Structure formats: C-alpha cells, structure tokens
Amino acid sequence: MELVDRQRELAAIRDAIASAAGGDGGIFLVAGEGGVGKTTLVESILPEAGRLVLRGAADQRAVRPYAPIVAAFRGYQRAVPDGLAGSGPLSEHLALILPELGSPPPDTEQATLFEAVGNLLEHVARRDPTVVFLDDLQWVDAATAELLLQLDRILEAVPVLVLGAYRSDEVSRGHPLRRLRSELRRRRRLQELTVEPLGPEETAELAARALGARPGNRLARALYDRTQGVPFFIEELAIALATAGRLATAAGTVELGPEETLPLPDTIKETVLLRAERLSSTGRHTLEIAAAAGLRFDLELVAALGGADGIDEAIQRGFLVEVDRQSAFRHALIREAVYDDIAWTRRRSYHRRLAEELARRGAAPEAVAEQWLAGGERDRARPSLLAAAERFCQVHAYRDAAHAISRAIELWPEGQDEDDRLAALERLGHCAQLHGDLTGAARAWQEVVEAGRARGDLTTLAELQRRLAGIYELQGAWDRALAARAAAAEAFAERGMDVEAATERLAAASHLQAAANLTTAL
C-alpha cells in the first residue's frame, strides 16, 4: 500500500529507532484495525533506518512457541552465516528453539533460554544497532509474549528496538498481548502508537495513486463511504472497480460510469471476491487450498494439492506473494475473504487433505492438529495436540503446552481411553504449575485424585495429594494443605511406603508447630 498523511506516525517510529540506537532499547508497539496500514507504515521506514533489520511474524494457524523470534534469527543467519556464533556462555541453550545449532544441554530451563536470547540480541547489536520487526502479534503465542517481557529488561541499555504490530480489534481478554501491555505499562515502559484510518481527502489521494488519476467527486465520496478510510480497502475497492470496467475517465479524472447502477461492495470481503471472480477455475481452486493452509504456507505443499499453475496465476493477479522462501497472501484480509467464502463442506475437505499431507511429510504436530480440527476430525486431532504439548514443554513454553492439553481433553469422548485422559490431566497440572497457574494445576490434579480414589490406585493418589499439598501451601490454604498431607501419608502407609508416609507427617507437623498448634504437631 501507498503511504498517505502519516507524518506523525513516521516521526514517532523514527524517534523510537533513534533512541534505541543511542542505547535505550526496548519494545515499541504499533496498533490499529486490520487493513489500516501498520505493516506498510513500519516497512516504509525500515530501509531508511540504516540499521540491521530482522523480521518475524506470528501465524494465525499452527502456533509455534517463539515462532516470530525464531524467524527473525533465521533471517539473520541467512544474511550472516556465522552471525549466531559467539553469543556468550549460554549460546548452546539457543539450540532449544534453533535445532540447526546442535543439541541443547540437558539441564536447560526457561529463564536460561530467555537470557540466551537476550545475549544473542546484544551480540547482534554489537555489530550494528538493530531493529526487530515482529508483525501480526494479534496471533502471538504465550511463550513469545513472556520472552518479550524478559527482553524488555535486557534491552534497556542495548541498541535494539523490537517493533511489534498488531490488530487492536483482535486482542480479547486474556490474550497474551494484553498481559504484555499491562506489565509494560506497570513498569512505565509501554511505548505504543495507534494508527487511525484516513480522512476523506486522504482517501481520495490514496485512490488517485492506485488508479493513476484523480477520482471524481462521486467516486471519492463512494470510496470513503464504503471504506471509512481503511487504506487496504481503499486500494482494493478502487482497483476492483477499475478491473471490472465500472469506471470512466474524463477530463483527467476517474469517475463511476454514468450508467453505473450496480451496488458497490460494502466490505473488504466483497471487494476481494469481486477481483477473485476473474481467476480461472484452477486459480480459484488453488487459492482456496492456500487459504485453508494459512496466511503463510509452504509452496510445495499447496502446489502438490492444487497445482503450480494456479499459484502462478494467483501471484500474477496480486493475491499471493513470495516471502522468505515461502508463499503468503499479500494481506491477511485477502486470505480471510477467500477462506470465508469457501463452502464449509469443501473447506473441511481441504483441511483433511492438508492434514494428511502434512502428517505424511512429518510436519510439526501442532500444524497437523490445527488442520485436523478445522477438518472436523476431533479424534485425529487429539493425539497431535498432545504431541504438540510435549514439544512445547521441551522449549519451556508451559502456558502454550497447558492450552494444547486442555484442548485435547475437551475433545475426549466420554468413557474412552480413560487411562490416557487421566495421564493428560496429570500432565496438564504439571504444565499449569510451571507457568504459575496454581488454581488450574490444583483443579487438574484433584480430578485425577478422585479417579485414583475410585480405582483404589494408592500410589497415584499419594503422589498427587503430595503435589496438591504443595500447591495449597503456596496459596496459603493451610487447612487444605494439611488435609492433603494427611491423605498422602495414609495412602503411602497403606502401600507400605513408610519413609514417604513419615515425610508427609513431618511436613504437616512442621506447619502445625509454626502455627503454634503444638499438641497436634506432637
């Protein structure tokens, strides 16, 4: 998209980049509704920054922990093949998220990984002041949001600016980005710019650039009324009208044809579909498969299912572009318009074919799971979700792992594979505890305890009562903690595990003594 009347926004981003180059790095967020031009705004200023630029983006489908950061580092590695070497004593821990660097050490943890990423950014910035542009953060995973919070502390004295763009209308309650913004605001470190739609005059100017001639008054009013100043919509609608032959040129201006009576598209979706009507059946079929694959997709994957000719046509018509050795929709709103227009039976068929092909190629389980879910194959999605959770745990993305397990448990058929369901619940409690959700951990473990009690599984019962006691103690719920310790001791004793039983009774006695309940403690 062209830039029109964005001097204020450009100045704000330039100031942030200059401040970071002076050693005051941090995070700068660019917000706005879909199509308002956030990405165009940021990309227009990055070449003039005269600094190293790393790029990454979150993905709507198949969320991978740290995916935007990983994409940025891999882009740097392609540009500077030895660029990731020598980034400090923790560099070997980066192999957790960049497997091409080798095998990670066995004793790594999340805090160490975050410190290693910070060290790497410092190492990169020693060569050149650096801007890291992370796009589409409305789809950011929880692990990346937690990493960004840690990086904000590290970057306070480092010449690195993390520029993040996101759709403000897609950040709901509980979204990882909301937690990130709240914490940055609490630290007095929140830097945020909101990009607003254009006014009537700026709408006419942008349309003139898209059409190569000034729009007449009637066309200018119609464009603004329909688009409400959203730049992407302005350009798409102007070009769609011209392509459909609904505009006439006279006296150096472009106007709606004098006999034009057809209604104008009211939404971005209608405008995109108006252009898509000119695609061949092969091009439209391939474009639909690409939309089911996601905003960014593997070219060979879609070509295998839809044909290379269709991809070529979609690129020529401006629906798709090639980005970082992958193909992508030129804008997320194009992909959404095409996807929403696919009949649901055909859409599910596409997703099932994609899931089968991804599984055959050994793709990441989270990518396979998302396709099975979209294809309505709940039973086939469940194992992939559990496998994805284990992958997330390996990189200490425990919040994302807990979310994946929760989704798998929600899909569980009642009464089937109960042992596996209880094992998943136990794992859910472990992940929830590690990311600080003590209530969620207690809820999951309590359900497993109830099942263990009904089955007479004393070993599971004892171990989980011990874990529950630890959770209750952290929450300050001492009565519940003591009850859990007593239950654990009783179960251990019944199993003949006297040392474990004694350990639980000693822990209970210690708490009672601290509470001055000496008789019970004795």
Side-chain angles (χ1 to χ4, degrees):
M1 291 185 289
E2 294 278 353
L3 273 184
V4 173
D5 190 38
R6 295 300 192 195
Q7 288 76 20
R8 178 186 67 87
E9 293 87 346
L10 289 170
I13 297 174
R14 283 193 186 101
D15 288 346
I17 291 174
S19 178
D24 184 16
I27 298 172
F28 189 98
L29 299 176
V30 181
E33 63 180 281
V36 81
K38 303 176 295 296
T39 303
T40 304
L41 176 70
V42 174
E43 288 288 3
S44 70
I45 204 169
L46 292 181
E48 71 180 54
R51 292 167 177 81
L52 177 65
V53 177
L54 310 181
R55 290 175 175 83
D59 199 337
Q60 184 178 17
R61 198 175 295 282
V63 173
R64 295 173 178 82
Y66 316 111
I69 295 291
V70 168
F73 285 156
R74 283 182 172 150
Y76 178 66
Q77 195 172 21
R78 286 194 294 272
V80 185
D82 64 340
L84 301 185
S87 60
L90 301 178
S91 58
E92 60 181 344
H93 294 270
L94 293 170
L96 271 176
I97 58 174
L98 294 164
E100 58 268 33
L101 298 182
S103 300
D107 57 345
T108 188
E109 59 183 7
Q110 188 183 65
T112 306
L113 173 62
F114 287 4
E115 192 70 25
V117 172
N119 289 349
L120 177 55
L121 280 175
E122 288 187 70
H123 169 71
V124 170
R126 277 198 293 270
R127 295 189 176 195
D128 295 289
T130 302
V131 176
V132 182
F133 176 38
L134 306 180
D135 204 1
D136 290 327
L137 290 185
Q138 70 273 6
W139 299 319
V140 73
D141 56 285
T144 300
E146 292 168 11
L147 172 58
L148 290 175
L149 269 178
Q150 180 63 25
L151 288 180
D152 179 68
R153 295 190 186 279
I154 296 171
L155 300 181
E156 286 189 47
V158 178
V160 175
L161 180 69
V162 176
L163 268 172
Y166 71 95
R167 290 193 205 172
S168 51
D169 50 338
E170 291 197 19
V171 179
S172 57
R173 285 186 64 184
H175 192 283
L177 201 58
R178 279 189 179 268
R179 291 193 294 272
L180 171 66
R181 293 172 67 248
S182 296
E183 180 60 23
L184 289 175
R185 185 180 292 111
R186 188 189 66 80
R187 298 179 188 174
R188 301 179 183 271
R189 293 275 297 168
L190 179 62
Q191 302 178 78
E192 189 168 40
L193 169 71
T194 299
V195 182
E196 302 289 352
L198 302 175
E201 292 184 8
E202 292 78 19
T203 296
E205 183 179 344
L206 182 55
R209 296 186 187 185
L211 295 170
R214 190 79 184 170
N217 291 336
R218 184 164 160 243
L219 176 58
R221 284 197 302 271
L223 286 172
Y224 184 70
D225 287 345
R226 289 292 190 269
T227 66
Q228 290 299 297
V230 175
F232 174 76
F233 195 2
I234 296 166
E235 289 194 332
E236 284 292 308
L237 181 53
I239 293 170
L241 292 174
T243 304
R246 298 175 63 178
L247 301 180
T249 303
T253 64
V254 182
E255 187 59 273
L256 285 168
E259 304 300 323
E260 183 60 60
T261 57
L262 292 174
L264 295 181
D266 284 318
T267 64
I268 293 177
K269 175 183 174 181
E270 292 173 1
T271 305
V272 172
L273 296 180
L274 181 63
R275 284 209 302 120
E277 288 176 0
R278 300 178 66 83
L279 288 169
S280 68
S281 58
T282 300
R284 181 58 187 259
H285 173 68
T286 305
L287 193 64
E288 288 183 350
I289 293 176
L295 178 61
R296 299 170 187 84
F297 53 88
D298 181 82
L299 188 62
E300 293 183 2
L301 171 69
V302 173
L305 299 180
D309 291 343
I311 290 177
D312 290 341
E313 183 183 359
I315 291 175
Q316 291 167 4
R317 297 280 186 176
F319 292 95
L320 303 178
V321 294
E322 293 188 53
V323 181
D324 292 336
R325 301 182 180 181
Q326 281 192 316
S327 284
F329 281 84
R330 184 169 63 82
H331 196 286
L333 295 174
I334 294 178
R335 184 251 165 196
E336 290 166 19
V338 174
Y339 184 78
D340 290 344
D341 194 55
I342 305 171
W344 74 270
T345 51
R346 197 162 70 250
R347 185 190 303 174
R348 285 195 164 192
S349 173
Y350 290 153
H351 285 300
R352 289 167 185 158
R353 291 174 61 194
L354 284 163
E356 288 169 352
E357 184 65 18
L358 286 168
R360 187 184 71 79
R361 292 169 178 241
E366 57 269 25
V368 178
E370 292 298 335
Q371 293 295 341
W372 282 132
L373 285 171
E377 298 284 348
R378 297 159 61 97
D379 288 344
R380 302 179 79 172
R382 198 170 65 247
S384 294
L385 284 170
L386 294 175
E390 290 307 309
R391 272 172 47 94
F392 296 166
C393 285
Q394 289 170 11
V395 295
H396 311 298
Y398 298 114
R399 191 184 300 273
D400 296 294
H403 179 62
I405 298 172
S406 294
R407 294 175 71 191
I409 290 172
E410 288 170 5
L411 301 174
W412 221 285
E414 188 172 354
Q416 290 186 19
D417 302 321
E418 188 63 11
D419 288 343
D420 291 341
R421 190 184 77 87
L422 292 174
L425 269 170
E426 186 173 348
R427 189 66 168 152
L428 172 61
H430 177 69
C431 293
Q433 181 189 33
L434 287 173
H435 80 75
D437 180 13
L438 301 183
T439 301
R443 189 186 306 118
W445 284 338
Q446 189 61 54
E447 185 173 345
V448 182
V449 163
E450 295 300 328
R453 185 177 289 116
R455 294 175 164 205
D457 184 355
L458 295 177
T459 302
T460 298
L461 181 66
E463 288 291 347
L464 287 180
Q465 288 285 19
R466 169 180 280 174
R467 293 186 202 173
L468 282 170
I471 292 288
Y472 295 146
E473 287 163 3
L474 289 171
Q475 292 177 324
W478 302 112
D479 289 344
R480 298 175 75 181
L482 286 169
R485 293 283 181 202
E490 183 178 345
F492 278 130
E494 286 189 43
R495 288 284 298 165
M497 302 170 70
D498 293 342
V499 172
E500 300 298 331
T503 299
E504 295 308 303
R505 291 191 174 107
L506 283 169
S510 177
H511 287 304
L512 290 164
Q513 182 182 7
N517 194 344
L518 303 182
T519 301
T520 309
L522 284 170

